[in-house]
Amino acid sequence: MAETVAPEGLEARLEEYRTELTGYCYRMLGSIFEAEDAVQDTMVRAWRALDRFEGRSSLRSWLYRIATNVCTDALGAGARRARPMDLTAATPVAQAQLTARPEATWLEPVPDGRVLPQTDDPAEAALARESVRLAFVAALQRLPARQRAVLILREVLAWRASEVAELLDTSVASVNSALQRARATLAASDPARTDAADPLDEGQRELLERYVAAFEAYDMAALTALLHEDATLSMPPYDLWLRGHDDIVGWMLGVGAVCRGSRLLATVANGTPAFAHYHPDPEGGFGPWALMVVETAGGKVSGITSFLDVDRWFPLFGLPDRLEARAAGR
């Protein structure tokens, strides 16, 4: 629907779309920091081009057109962000070595509130959360930029094919063809689905409570009982990842044993439960160690991703920079 926007009211109108645009750019780019930069660039371009906005489309459509161009330009080099399991095969614990890759390699976690607009529709909210899961966003990164935009606009944001065609300056037939190719690529990569997590049901709450209790007690028998047989553990920025509860427990009793005595503080990331992982500090209390994103399926833990760059993630998620010993106990 066409509309006009007065310059004096533009800033407030632009801010109405910041969260959803950030979500769109995050799905496109796989990085919350790059997404927020892209949205800011979009806002600046909108300001500068307001005199050319003639109201032939809605302000929202116009902003998405600009954001798509910004993201496409950013993706021009062909690089894509990934999870460790997208780059290498699982490593048996006996052969495990920690090899770091540059920050730009990795898919980044995101606080839900930065990318998911408020909605009163439970089905819409569930779809939005599913569309920022780590596995789904990682699968999106396999798509060429144009297919990526088409799939997000059509299947996540529920735009009509004619609207996407107008945004991309192409035909409906071209949009439908791009969507079919994108669906085929995603089907081949088969991004794993995880249990819905907002709100948590009683079984999920109990599972996570047991997980925290087992991890903090470093009770490997109890932890093994909570993990799927083919559960995964990864630790960006290292490209190592492990599959199977035997290898995960073997790691935690070997190199990972430095985590004994840690504490977990609940948060949410990428539409799933997450924990701020605090490590015992020799000088007392607990210091930040990792942002741990926990995925569940079928009543067990199916994946653990520990993002270790705490200088980036803890401030982003508004997490305390340490826990005191007297406040850390449960």
Side-chain angles (χ1 to χ4, degrees):
M1 182 177 64
E3 62 180 292
T4 58
V5 181
E8 61 272 14
L10 181 60
E11 183 174 0
R13 293 297 310 280
L14 293 179
E15 286 302 316
E16 292 175 16
Y17 298 104
R18 184 175 291 275
T19 300
E20 66 173 279
L21 284 171
T22 304
Y24 175 63
C25 294
Y26 172 73
R27 297 177 185 99
M28 286 288 291
L29 302 173
S31 162
I32 180 56
F33 296 108
E34 290 182 2
E36 291 184 334
D37 286 347
V39 171
Q40 192 58 35
D41 192 0
T42 297
M43 300 299 190
V44 170
R45 293 190 190 190
W47 264 107
R48 291 175 176 170
L50 181 61
D51 60 337
R52 298 195 297 274
F53 175 59
E54 299 173 354
R56 288 193 296 264
S57 63
S58 70
L59 177 63
R60 181 172 184 253
S61 297
W62 186 56
L63 289 172
Y64 270 89
R65 176 192 290 267
I66 298 171
T68 300
N69 290 335
V70 171
C71 290
T72 300
D73 290 346
L75 293 166
R80 67 180 180 94
R81 289 183 178 261
R83 302 170 303 163
M85 55 278 294
D86 301 318
L87 302 176
T88 64
T91 303
V93 69
Q95 302 170 21
Q97 294 183 340
L98 292 175
T99 303
R101 297 201 188 191
E103 175 275 323
T105 305
W106 303 115
L107 180 68
E108 295 179 354
V110 66
D112 286 10
R114 297 288 261 265
V115 294
L116 300 180
Q118 296 284 339
T119 177
D120 295 326
D121 184 335
E124 183 179 324
L127 174 62
R129 288 192 300 273
E130 186 66 35
S131 73
V132 294
R133 301 293 172 91
L134 289 172
F136 183 76
V137 178
L140 287 175
Q141 307 308 299
R142 296 175 179 269
L143 301 174
R146 196 172 184 85
Q147 289 182 28
R148 202 179 303 184
V150 167
L151 187 134
I152 297 167
L153 291 166
R154 291 282 286 121
E155 301 215 326
V156 176
L157 302 177
W159 286 40
R160 295 190 298 271
S162 58
E163 294 174 319
V164 178
E166 181 180 356
L167 182 146
L168 296 176
D169 287 326
T170 189
S171 66
V172 169
S174 177
V175 167
N176 289 337
S177 176
L179 180 59
Q180 288 181 337
R181 294 196 300 274
R183 285 171 172 168
T185 300
L186 256 64
S189 65
D190 190 26
R193 287 188 170 271
T194 54
D195 292 336
D198 186 15
L200 295 172
D201 62 31
E202 183 176 350
Q204 290 171 314
R205 287 195 298 271
E206 180 184 355
L207 172 63
L208 293 171
E209 288 170 1
R210 291 169 62 198
Y211 176 82
V212 171
F215 191 92
E216 292 189 345
Y218 230 66
D219 183 338
M220 294 298 108
L223 187 65
T224 298
L226 304 177
L227 297 174
H228 275 285
E229 286 189 9
D230 62 350
T232 62
L233 170 66
S234 60
M235 296 160 283
Y238 299 112
D239 59 12
L240 170 74
W241 68 282
L242 305 166
R243 183 190 294 279
H245 52 53
D246 289 343
D247 275 354
I248 292 174
V249 168
W251 173 264
M252 295 182 70
L253 290 174
V255 176
V258 294
C259 293
R260 190 184 299 272
S262 294
R263 294 291 182 264
L264 302 182
L265 182 67
T267 184
V268 178
N270 292 82
T272 62
F275 297 95
H277 175 184
Y278 292 86
H279 190 266
D281 186 331
E283 297 183 1
F286 300 84
W289 186 259
L291 176 72
M292 180 188 291
V293 180
V294 177
E295 297 169 292
T296 67
K300 289 195 172 184
V301 173
S302 57
I304 305 165
T305 306
S306 287
F307 292 93
L308 299 177
D309 190 354
V310 293
D311 289 341
R312 289 164 65 82
W313 308 130
F314 275 46
L316 180 70
F317 281 77
L319 295 165
D321 58 9
R322 66 179 291 103
L323 296 180
E324 299 303 329
R326 62 180 179 275
R330 283 179 164 79

